[in-house]
């Protein structure tokens, strides 16, 4: 395939071809990080921000040859460098839909004694809730570690994990920026001296979110729907209660995190509206893996993975009978919730 040309410039990176016809204004809107490229290469001195309606090639053509020479600007080299930069940043930030994770398939290994695991394969899909049940120390954390590291038979369990039905490449396995799993532990202790707004805004900036004000609004609103007691943008994160901290992190993970899988450890102890928390996560197309000892939560899940002796002993779909039992458990939970609220408010109960 011959190299793509735009005016007098030869583009070596064919992945960048669809970008070349967009105006600078369009590119800035989609990829705000290119402003850093312009600044670092002193293109702002040459009027790039005043010529946003032009394509990048059009901007380069508008620079007088003598001005380009004085600025030591090689237009062809700058043209290639610019589009290479966008392509590389898209890959680094996982902004390319073709690389999105749609499913995770787990292939069996062995338990602690070396016996084969009791399943053929498990496929996890977005917007699905999976409960992980088993005694303390049974191997729930090991299962999540295998998924997070996209195991290839090279972990103690000898399991293998496929991403989108394929063996994941090394870049995905060891990416610090785009981890497969976002883990929310029981204790969320903040050590940064930031307000809630500053915390959310920093995460939004790191994800190159264009409308950071909307991100702050959306995360705070979602967090307050989960928390038992409201908090505000100016509240220091170090002043949040355990339930408030957990609600903030769940909302932040659902709305801003790129990780397709979310692990929540014992959400029943979080002091939040756990059902709303799960609904929020699946509404954002997350795969939710929930380690729990709560029977209502285990039955609320679409499936539950039973862990024994370090291995997966069973994979059970929640039956119609179990869903009927769940409705009864939820009614009991509602009674307990109302009693707890009444006691907290100093009311008498009977």
């Amino acid at each position: 395939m011959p190299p793509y040309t735009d005016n007098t410039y030869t583009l070596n990176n064919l992945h960048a071809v669809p970008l070349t016809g967009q105006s600078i204004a369009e590119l800035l809107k989609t990829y705000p990080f290119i402003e850093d490229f312009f600044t670092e290469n002193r293109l702002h001195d040459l009027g790039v921000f005043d010529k946003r309606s032009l394509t990048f090639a059009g901007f380069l053509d508008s620079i007088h040859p003598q001005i380009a020479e004085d600025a030591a600007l090689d237009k062809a080299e700058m043209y290639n460098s610019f589009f290479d930069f966008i392509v590389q940043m898209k890959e680094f930030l996982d902004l390319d839909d073709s690389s999105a994770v749609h499913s995770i398939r787990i292939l069996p290994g062995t338990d602690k004694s070396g016996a084969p695991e009791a399943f053929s394969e498990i496929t996890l899909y977005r917007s699905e809730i999976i409960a992980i049940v088993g005694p303390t120390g049974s191997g729930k954390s090991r299962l999540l570690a295998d998924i997070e590291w996209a195991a290839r038979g090279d972990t103690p369990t000898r399991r293998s994990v496929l991403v989108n039905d394929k063996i994941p490449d090394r870049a995905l396995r060891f990416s610090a920026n785009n981890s497969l799993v976002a883990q929310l532990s029981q204790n969320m202790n903040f050590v940064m001296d930031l307000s809630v707004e500053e915390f959310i805004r920093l995460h939004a900036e790191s994800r190159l979110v264009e409308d950071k004000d909307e991100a702050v609004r959306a995360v705070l609103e979602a967090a307050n729907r989960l928390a038992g007691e409201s908090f505000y943008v100016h509240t220091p994160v170090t002043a949040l209660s355990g339930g408030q901290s957990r609600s903030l992190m769940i909302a932040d993970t659902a709305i801003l995190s790129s990780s397709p899988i979310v692990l929540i450890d014992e959400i029943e102890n979080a002091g939040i509206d756990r059902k709303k928390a799960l609904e929020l996560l699946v509404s954002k197309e997350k795969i939710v893996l929930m380690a729990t000892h709560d029977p209502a939560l285990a039955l609320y899940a679409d499936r539950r993975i039973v862990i024994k002796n370090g291995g997966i002993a069973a994979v059970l779909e929640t039956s119609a009978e179990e869903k009927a039992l769940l409705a009864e458990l939820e009614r009991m939970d509602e009674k307990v919730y109302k009693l707890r609220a009444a006691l907290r408010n100093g009311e008498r109960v009977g």
Side-chain angles (χ1 to χ4, degrees), residues 111-136:
D111 64 15
K112 291 179 181 178
S113 65
E117 292 186 291
F119 72 101
S120 56
E121 64 178 43
I122 307 170
T123 303
L124 313 177
Y125 298 100
R126 287 183 178 269
S127 299
E128 186 176 26
I129 300 173
I130 307 294
I132 304 173
V133 299
T136 300

Side-chain angles (χ1 to χ4, degrees), residues 104-105 142-155 159-163 166-170 172-174 180-181 261:
I104 301 290
R105 185 187 298 181
R142 181 68 261 171
L143 170 60
L144 268 298
D146 285 350
I147 295 172
E148 185 169 16
W149 289 94
R152 291 187 184 176
D154 53 0
T155 66
R159 294 183 188 117
S160 294
V161 174
L162 305 181
V163 178
K166 298 177 181 178
I167 297 173
D169 60 29
R170 184 179 179 87
L172 179 61
R173 293 190 77 194
F174 302 107
L180 284 174
V181 179
I261 302 173

